[in-house]
Amino acid sequence: MKVRVLSILSLLVVIIVVTVSSVILTSASRELTQELQINRVAALNRFAQLASDAAQDKDTSQLQREMDRYSELYGEGILIRTQEGTVRSGGLSEERPDVQDALNRASLNLSDTTLNPISAFGTGNDIISRSFGTASQVLGEAVVEVNLDAARQKLRERWLVVGFAALALAALLLLAAARITGWVLRPVNRLSRAVHELETTGKTSQLPDAGPPELRELSRSFTAMADTVTESMESQRRLIADTSHQLRNPVGALRLRIDLLQLELKGQQEKAAAAGVVAELERVEEMLDGVLKLATAEHRAFEGSTRPDQAAEHQRQAVIDPLPILQGEVERAVPAAQRAGSRLTLEGPAHENQINCDPDELAHMVGELIANAIKYAPGATITVATQQTAGGSAVVISDDGPGLPAEQRAASTTRFWRAPQHSKIPGNGLGMTIVDRLAQANGGRLVIEPREPHGLTARLEFAKPEDAQDA
């Protein structure tokens, strides 16, 4: 936004500076033209008077001396035509078309004493002319060639001064525009970041009361709204966690009663019905456990991404070598993999990889991903490994099972979502959601990708630890 606003303001600054400069330079050209015209018309009138006197006295020697002295001083030609002949100086010839035209107009008693506006980069000289004589008779014509080079040089010097002044003014205006734009847009940028933070984490920091009055009021309103939304979301998380926790007691009591009831049952049909109730209770217990874990993971993710002081968070996280944790989880999952007909392998790292993560939560994430691979890809080869990435390291769990289509991969971290083809496999649809939230809580992310030619890859990507970056 700042670039777009500055582009518009820069265009306006250029237009203003060019307009002001054009007005100043046009005024300077007009001023120099007028000054030169007044001076040369005065000289023309003087020579016309001298020529009129010479025509009456029949003596042009004085006139010739004055004309030669003028031409030597200013470098301009003069031509005066009388009834007795033509007097000239400075090499001005009546054969020139412009001089001839000026003489013809003056012979008709039409004076031409107006100079064309001076151009800084023009060339050539200008001509002014007038007639002289009595009120009833034209005795001759006087023509003066006006040299414009000196005036053009003055105008170019003014152009240079105005150019430097225009650049300085443009720089000053652009600097002022940048400062004002930053002052105006800084609250907008903070508000945009706060909206994104609220969208992704459910919390946002206090916006500073800065900027124009309207934006300060908007910041205050947004902060109040964000606090309300955050409190509402936190209340919902606490309600879910508390409800799940409180339900464990009656469910546990119900489980105990059913176990006692099973001891009293004699018929096979009754025992089968009781076993079905127990299976449903186990499903409820599993779901309650999943909801509690999800509430804890979401609380960790939201808390870790919005806490201003991350000291407590860093106490839980540590820069660790993930290989021992992966080894432990692989060993723990080997019996389940053998029962499912799967082959579970751990690949040693090609390079030393370190990640910043809570060890217990990393073990939980890896264990959940391995369990999912065993459950939903029976008979597959499951590989657990670490890899280096452009920004850090990743823990990769991949299998060569059937995999998931793109739309199902995108929905795999949604709460309670399960693939239609897995509906008959026991599960509550919370495992991948918990892994995703725990990855966020530890500054990482979960990426679900296809494996070629078939299968699925789950990547836990972590940024390079700060200690490793400093090294």
Side-chain angles (χ1 to χ4, degrees), residues 52 56 83-84 106-107 109 131-141:
S52 178
Q56 294 177 4
Q83 295 176 352
E84 286 75 19
S107 65
N109 203 19
S131 61
F132 59 88
T134 63
S136 60
Q137 183 181 8
V138 175
L139 300 178
E141 300 83 25

Side-chain angles (χ1 to χ4, degrees), residues 127-147:
I127 296 292
I128 58 175
S129 62
R130 59 157 293 180
S131 61
F132 59 88
T134 63
S136 60
Q137 183 181 8
V138 175
L139 300 178
E141 300 83 25
V143 177
V144 173
E145 181 184 28
V146 181
N147 188 343

Side-chain angles (χ1 to χ4, degrees), residues 6-297:
L6 278 180
S7 299
I8 297 173
L9 292 179
S10 298
L11 180 60
L12 292 176
V13 165
V14 170
I15 293 175
I16 292 172
V17 170
V18 170
T19 302
V20 172
S21 301
S22 299
V23 171
I24 294 175
L25 292 174
T26 301
S27 176
S29 174
R30 188 182 300 113
E31 178 186 349
L32 289 173
T33 302
Q34 186 177 11
E35 180 182 345
L36 184 62
Q37 179 176 308
I38 292 172
N39 183 279
R40 294 306 186 263
V41 168
L44 177 65
N45 292 336
R46 179 172 177 273
F47 285 119
Q49 183 61 46
L50 291 174
S52 178
D53 295 341
Q56 294 177 4
D57 298 339
K58 307 299 183 181
D59 182 11
T60 60
S61 57
Q62 178 65 25
L63 175 62
Q64 185 68 58
R65 286 193 300 271
E66 293 287 340
M67 291 169 58
D68 292 341
R69 190 159 48 248
Y70 179 88
S71 297
E72 181 180 357
L73 179 63
Y74 293 103
E76 299 175 351
I78 306 173
L79 188 146
I80 296 177
R81 187 173 66 181
T82 64
Q83 295 176 352
E84 286 75 19
T86 301
V87 182
R88 64 178 61 84
S89 68
L92 187 63
S93 173
E94 59 206 351
E95 301 299 328
R96 283 174 43 179
D98 54 342
V99 175
Q100 186 65 43
D101 182 64
L103 290 172
N104 293 336
R105 290 175 57 83
S107 65
L108 298 175
N109 203 19
L110 298 174
S111 299
D112 190 359
T113 57
T114 302
L115 293 176
N116 294 319
I118 297 174
S119 173
F121 303 100
T123 57
N125 297 330
D126 209 346
I127 296 292
I128 58 175
S129 62
R130 59 157 293 180
S131 61
F132 59 88
T134 63
S136 60
Q137 183 181 8
V138 175
L139 300 178
E141 300 83 25
V143 177
V144 173
E145 181 184 28
V146 181
N147 188 343
L148 303 178
D149 291 341
R152 291 193 183 106
Q153 179 61 30
K154 288 184 179 180
L155 186 58
R156 284 193 289 268
E157 292 173 355
R158 295 192 182 184
W159 272 61
L160 187 62
V161 172
V162 171
F164 280 121
L167 290 176
L169 177 61
L172 183 62
L173 291 177
L174 288 176
L175 179 61
R179 297 294 297 273
I180 294 174
T181 301
W183 177 68
V184 172
L185 294 184
R186 194 174 296 114
V188 177
N189 293 331
R190 291 196 190 104
L191 182 61
S192 177
R193 290 193 297 269
V195 170
H196 178 71
E197 185 180 6
L198 181 64
E199 178 185 5
T200 55
T201 68
K203 291 184 179 181
T204 185
S205 55
Q206 180 78 21
L207 291 177
D209 195 2
E214 295 81 3
L215 293 181
R216 289 202 299 269
E217 180 62 29
L218 180 60
S219 297
R220 287 192 289 266
S221 299
F222 176 81
T223 299
M225 180 203 71
D227 290 341
T228 302
V229 172
T230 300
E231 184 179 354
S232 174
M233 295 178 66
E234 186 64 27
S235 298
Q236 292 179 18
R237 284 195 293 270
R238 286 198 302 267
L239 175 63
I240 293 173
D242 293 344
T243 302
S244 301
H245 180 74
Q246 294 299 324
L247 282 175
R248 292 178 63 87
N249 292 331
V251 169
L254 184 60
R255 174 67 179 268
L256 179 61
R257 291 176 181 272
I258 292 177
D259 288 341
L260 294 174
L261 181 61
Q262 281 183 305
L263 298 176
E264 303 295 331
L265 297 178
K266 305 299 182 181
Q268 293 297 326
Q269 186 175 1
E270 294 174 344
K271 291 182 178 181
V277 173
V278 170
E280 290 299 324
L281 275 177
E282 290 177 347
R283 182 180 176 187
V284 171
E285 288 178 337
E286 181 183 1
M287 186 171 295
L288 289 176
D289 288 340
V291 170
L292 278 173
K293 292 178 181 178
L294 177 61
T296 302

